């Protein structure tokens, strides 16, 4: 079992930046990811980082978002820059003990058994 607690988020104007943080109760050999869900839409993967620090991103955020982890602090972070109104969503920290991504890219929601409660990000135009 892994408990996840997010912090950060908030409201920002388009073009601005925000940073999300997530602390895990267990971190060794755990793949960490960020998902987001906008009202009326499916929850989608945003980025993932494996225990070695290798990363993967959704095409929609490549070049704007950066995921990182600090193994000493059991923390994973999502630095978001160049924010757009379409980035508005509830952002969730997620974790899985298996592989971090597949040939088709980020893993699905169903492949992550552990979740945080979410942090709201709102980007105004």
């Amino acid at each position: 079992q892994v408990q996840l607690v997010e912090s950060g988020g908030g409201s920002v104007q388009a073009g601005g930046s925000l940073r999300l943080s997530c602390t895990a109760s267990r971190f060794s050999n755990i793949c960490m990811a960020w998902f987001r869900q906008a009202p009326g839409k499916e929850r989608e993967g945003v980025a993932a980082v494996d225990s070695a620090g290798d990363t993967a991103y959704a095409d929609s955020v490549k070049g704007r978002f950066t995921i990182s982890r600090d193994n000493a602090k059991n923390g994973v972070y999502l630095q978001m820059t160049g924010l757009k109104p379409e980035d508005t969503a509830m952002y969730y920290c997620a974790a899985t003990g298996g592989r971090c991504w597949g040939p088709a890219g980020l893993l699905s929601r169903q492949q992550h058994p552990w979740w945080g409660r979410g942090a709201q990000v709102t980007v105004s135009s």
Side-chain angles (χ1 to χ4, degrees), residues 1 9 13 18 27-28 36 41 45 49 54 70 81 84 99 103 105 110-111 124:
Q1 192 69 277
Q13 289 191 325
L18 284 172
F27 215 57
S28 179
R36 67 185 181 185
K41 294 190 176 181
V49 57
D54 293 326
D70 184 337
T81 63
K84 306 175 182 179
R99 59 193 173 100
Q110 290 75 16
Q111 291 171 297
S124 58

Side-chain angles (χ1 to χ4, degrees), residues 15-71:
S17 299
L18 284 172
R19 185 178 190 243
L20 299 175
S21 300
C22 174
T23 301
S25 60
R26 184 165 67 88
F27 215 57
S28 179
N29 297 318
I30 296 293
C31 170
M32 302 297 297
W34 288 97
F35 280 70
R36 67 185 181 185
Q37 188 167 16
K41 294 190 176 181
E42 295 289 320
R43 192 171 298 187
E44 62 176 359
V46 174
V49 57
D50 66 14
S51 56
D54 293 326
T55 59
Y57 296 91
D59 288 342
S60 58
V61 306
K62 279 181 182 177
R64 299 188 299 122
F65 290 10
T66 302
I67 189 171
S68 61
R69 66 190 287 159
D70 184 337
N71 290 334

